[in-house]
Amino acid sequence: MGDHFQTVVDVDATADEARALAARVVEWLVAEGIVLGERTDCVLGQPLGHPPGPNWRRAVEESPDWDPWDGLAVHTGRTVFDSGQGGPESVTCPRCRATTPLSGETYDEPYDEDYEASGESRAGEADSDGADSDGADSGEDEPENGVWPNFAAAMGTWHETGAATVDCPACARPVALTDWIWEDDYYAFGHLGLEFWNWPELRPDFIQEISRLLGGHRTGHVWGKL
């Protein structure tokens, strides 16, 4: 069956803002009874997390047919959040709206060994079976001039500096890595992520409330499975 996760990512928070914003949201979640304040061994990839509270149903779609059996992990730090298994099929430019297929490309590591060892990659922290932490595909039919290497390089640059662009293959304009639209929201980039392990589907209005608590920041919602 595996473990699955849903991560609400603040894509606007700066490194200096992340911890204070995380504390604000967690304080609200505890006050609402959605999670407990005391942290326990209830998440993957981090030593401790917040277990589900008595009112966890306020966060999920109505009539869930199962209860969450793990908790909330809070990530503060520059992180490439991804969906774990598989890889993105395409990516869309927010400027010209052209969609670039990625199907058939080999998803090489988008960062170096130092990045993976730092624990900043959420998927890498929880991956225990030796698979590539960014959902790498072991296929051998990568196009000779595929675009994935450009994105992989940009992810490494973004992790090191907090800024990176990729030129759109269609309109040739540079686009910030954080602005690209990934199919199925496979990637999100930010300094703050609220990762719910093995919870039913989160409600859209719950995610909107988190965005409000974050000062109206844009948020991404990354689904994944390990």
Side-chain angles (χ1 to χ4, degrees):
M1 181 176 179
D3 294 287
H4 70 271
F5 53 88
Q6 299 170 73
T7 310
V8 180
V9 182
D10 185 332
V11 299
D12 290 334
T14 66
D16 292 337
E17 296 174 325
R19 289 187 180 276
L21 289 171
R24 180 192 302 173
V25 175
V26 170
E27 181 180 12
W28 176 76
L29 292 171
V30 172
E32 293 292 315
I34 295 171
V35 301
L36 300 180
E38 181 182 359
R39 296 193 301 161
T40 65
D41 180 13
C42 64
V43 296
L44 280 71
Q46 288 195 1
L48 300 172
H50 296 274
N55 298 325
W56 61 265
R57 287 180 175 81
R58 294 181 180 177
V60 304
E61 292 287 1
E62 294 182 2
S63 304
D65 55 6
W66 50 276
D67 296 355
W69 63 85
D70 282 317
L72 166 66
V74 180
H75 298 263
T76 55
R78 193 177 298 147
T79 307
V80 177
F81 296 95
D82 64 58
S83 294
Q85 294 184 358
E89 292 292 321
S90 64
V91 63
T92 299
C93 173
R95 294 179 178 269
C96 68
R97 312 305 294 184
T99 296
T100 298
L102 296 172
S103 179
E105 298 202 27
T106 298
Y107 299 107
D108 297 325
E109 291 288 352
Y111 42 76
D112 59 26
E113 292 180 359
D114 292 337
Y115 168 33
E116 183 173 2
S118 72
E120 295 287 339
S121 169
R122 195 269 333 129
E125 294 170 350
D127 192 353
S128 61
D129 61 3
D132 289 344
S133 63
D134 66 333
D137 188 326
S138 60
E140 299 179 354
D141 57 346
E142 178 181 4
E144 185 175 340
N145 296 306
V147 300
W148 173 251
N150 298 333
F151 285 100
M155 290 181 193
T157 300
W158 181 85
H159 177 260
E160 291 296 328
T161 67
T165 63
V166 179
D167 290 346
C168 174
C171 67
R173 290 184 289 182
V175 177
L177 178 66
T178 54
D179 291 343
W180 284 90
I181 303 166
W182 298 88
E183 184 179 21
D184 296 326
D185 298 321
Y186 189 90
Y187 282 113
F189 308 89
H191 295 93
L192 170 57
L194 304 165
E195 188 173 57
F196 295 83
W197 280 96
N198 296 311
W199 282 49
E201 183 178 357
L202 299 177
R203 296 168 58 97
D205 57 344
F206 171 70
I207 297 174
Q208 291 171 4
E209 181 62 18
I210 289 179
S211 177
R212 186 190 68 79
L213 291 165
L214 294 170
H217 287 182
R218 295 176 299 156
T219 56
H221 183 205
V222 178
W223 284 80
K225 184 178 180 180
L226 298 178

